[in-house]
Amino acid sequence: MTALVIRPLIAGEEAAFGDTYTAMAAAGEYRPEWTWVALRDGVVVARAAWWAGPKDDKPLALDSPPRPAARSTPKGRPERPSPRASSAAAARSPAVTAG
């Protein structure tokens, strides 16, 4: 098994987490430097974000950001965005690794 990579989200990666996260980030409630992702083999396996009000200078609560909405496939099964596609940019940045 490869090492787990844990790092903060980089500004511009917010869209990979869906419309709700993007809207809350735009409102200043989630901030990239307070949002963390864990990746294994370039795939997001966990994520967490500290939440705060738009005028707060420190985070107030640990939150689990909402997942992107599922889409319907032609066979009627829900389809989630590919973890590899949504985390491709995430995997290219500096990180903290854990064994």
Side-chain angles (χ1 to χ4, degrees), residues 76-93:
R77 291 183 294 223
E79 175 188 314
R80 294 234 176 241
S82 163
R84 284 194 190 277
S86 65
S87 63
R92 291 191 295 266
S93 61

Side-chain angles (χ1 to χ4, degrees), residues 20-41:
T20 302
Y21 179 91
T22 302
M24 292 177 76
E29 295 179 48
Y30 286 135
R31 299 175 199 168
E33 65 272 20
W34 296 347
T35 304
W36 291 78
V37 292
L39 302 108
R40 189 175 303 279
D41 294 326

Side-chain angles (χ1 to χ4, degrees), residues 7 9 12-18 37 39 42-45 47 67-68 80-92:
R7 66 161 185 78
L9 199 64
E13 293 178 335
E14 297 89 346
F17 290 92
V37 292
L39 302 108
V43 176
V44 175
V45 295
R47 59 199 181 129
R67 292 187 62 170
R80 294 234 176 241
S82 163
R84 284 194 190 277
S86 65
S87 63
R92 291 191 295 266

Side-chain angles (χ1 to χ4, degrees), residues 4-5 24 38 48 51 56 58 64 77 87 90-91 97:
L4 186 66
V5 176
M24 292 177 76
W51 175 90
D56 294 323
K58 295 180 183 174
S64 178
R77 291 183 294 223
S87 63
T97 58

